Amino acid sequence: MTVNREIHLAARPAGEPGAENFALVTTALPDLAEGQVLVRNTWMSVDPYMRERMHDAESYLPPFQLGAPLGGSAIGEVVASRADGVPVGATVVHFLGWREYAVVDAAAATVADLTLAPAEAWLGVLGTTGLTAYAALTHVAPVREGDVVFVSAAAGAVGTIAGQLARKLGASRVIGSAGGPLKAEKLVRDFGYDAAIDYRAGSLAGQLAEAAPDGIDVYVDHVGGDHLVAAIDALRHGGRIAMVGAISSYNATEPVPGPGNLFALAAKDATLRGMLVNSYFHLFPEWIGKAAGWLADGSLHTEVTVAEGIERAPAAFLDMMRGGNVGKMLVRL
């Protein structure tokens, strides 16, 4: 294999991205250097944080470069190796997605144990998606026995795991928000939620008050905006908020104003803490051990939405940003 197909960033989006911001490009593969492996990617992930990397601004991850391939989590089979300890035939997780083949430094590749779960699970429940839910609910905004927990974007990749995990950690009631009646129904039927809010169906604050009349103790925020405002108002004394994402602002072309009720956190002796999953990688062995057991006994349910082929990766990303997925959005290559 000497040529590769990749998705490049063709133009930086202003507001909501479109197909014109991406380009499918055929490139030549470089020769392997010592310590590198060639991976035939079989699955890649598209995630909301990638929208932030399309801005020409430094953040916790560097911005994507124009005319260069995008990046993100991927898994695949090693088809050539110049690295001790990573043989041909191994399945590895790495961060060079958005391409069919990747030349990866062995130090940046993690061998996946497919006896625990299939390859795609290592990009979702056993990957940073699952770790995010676990770290948020055990370290950032820890759930205590009897807590009422609220999760926004609850039908998404992290949210579908967070609802079930909150229950396992002792929550007495778990509430999720999602867009549309079908997603709301799935939250209760499939993902461990006691109540579901369809944020398109009326007042978010009113629906949250109905679902949690005595308030909430923990909020896992993936949305920001009106969801964060409503959660702060509903928070009980000593409540905890984990700020994981703010998808409501990712396509904004002007600065987004913050909630006007932040001082309520002081009056309630509550905390709002941001999190980067990178800070919790040390929890991976602990999380994988627990999650693999729950997957095996059927007590943890996962779902993926799948697009087929590298050429569908931009559309999969755009669909995910518009809420077109349940669970993890993946591209099968």
Side-chain angles (χ1 to χ4, degrees):
M1 171 56 61
T2 58
V3 296
N4 196 18
R5 292 197 301 167
E6 307 173 335
I7 301 295
H8 287 199
L9 184 64
R12 297 196 186 279
E16 184 175 356
E20 68 278 4
N21 297 112
F22 305 90
L24 178 62
V25 178
T26 299
T27 64
L29 279 170
D31 294 331
L32 289 184
E34 195 66 32
Q36 291 184 323
V37 294
L38 177 63
V39 181
R40 180 179 65 81
N41 287 336
T42 52
W43 295 88
M44 57 162 277
S45 175
V46 294
D47 300 287
Y49 78 87
M50 295 173 177
R51 176 63 185 88
E52 291 290 274
R53 296 189 68 191
M54 294 176 188
H55 296 301
D56 188 14
E58 290 295 330
S59 183
Y60 62 94
L61 289 173
F64 294 131
Q65 297 302 303
L66 288 174
L70 290 86
S73 295
I75 190 167
E77 180 185 357
V78 175
V79 294
S81 176
R82 293 191 62 190
D84 294 337
V86 188
V88 170
T91 298
V92 296
V93 182
H94 59 89
F95 210 59
L96 295 179
W98 294 85
R99 65 204 82 186
E100 292 179 318
Y101 287 81
V103 174
V104 183
D105 292 339
T110 301
V111 176
D113 182 356
L114 299 189
T115 66
L116 293 180
E120 59 270 28
W122 291 89
L123 299 183
V125 62
L126 296 186
T128 54
T129 297
L131 181 65
T132 297
Y134 184 66
L137 291 172
T138 58
H139 286 68
V140 181
V143 174
R144 300 166 186 159
E145 193 72 30
D147 278 349
V148 177
V149 177
F150 176 43
V151 181
S152 58
V158 176
T160 51
I161 298 169
Q164 299 170 83
L165 182 57
R167 174 75 65 218
K168 288 179 177 293
L169 292 170
S172 63
R173 185 164 174 79
V174 186
I175 302 157
S177 73
L182 295 180
K183 283 188 175 182
E185 180 183 340
K186 282 185 72 67
L187 291 183
V188 176
R189 186 181 69 230
D190 298 333
F191 298 116
Y193 286 89
D194 296 291
I197 294 168
D198 176 3
Y199 64 81
R200 298 173 182 167
S203 165
L204 178 68
Q207 292 184 79
L208 182 56
E210 183 177 349
D214 297 322
I216 63 173
D217 301 288
V218 171
Y219 172 49
V220 180
D221 187 22
H222 300 106
V223 175
D226 60 345
H227 280 70
L228 181 55
V229 172
I232 291 173
D233 283 342
L235 208 62
R236 296 200 282 215
H237 186 85
R240 282 99 50 213
I241 298 175
M243 181 175 283
V244 178
I247 198 168
S248 65
S249 65
Y250 288 169
N251 290 328
T253 57
E254 299 291 338
V256 176
N261 59 346
L262 277 177
F263 189 70
L265 296 173
K268 297 179 179 187
D269 197 21
T271 59
L272 186 159
R273 182 176 175 186
M275 72 164 288
L276 292 177
V277 70
N278 315 44
S279 300
Y280 300 92
F281 281 175
H282 64 282
L283 297 177
F284 252 135
E286 178 182 321
W287 167 243
I288 289 172
K290 293 176 184 289
W294 292 331
L295 289 172
D297 68 22
S299 66
L300 181 60
H301 172 69
T302 63
E303 191 164 328
V304 296
T305 302
V306 178
E308 300 284 351
I310 188 70
E311 62 278 356
R312 286 285 302 162
F317 172 77
L318 298 175
D319 287 347
M320 179 272 305
M321 291 294 293
R322 296 166 184 151
N325 59 300
V326 173
K328 186 74 173 177
M329 176 67 91
L330 295 175
V331 181
R332 181 162 37 205
L333 302 176

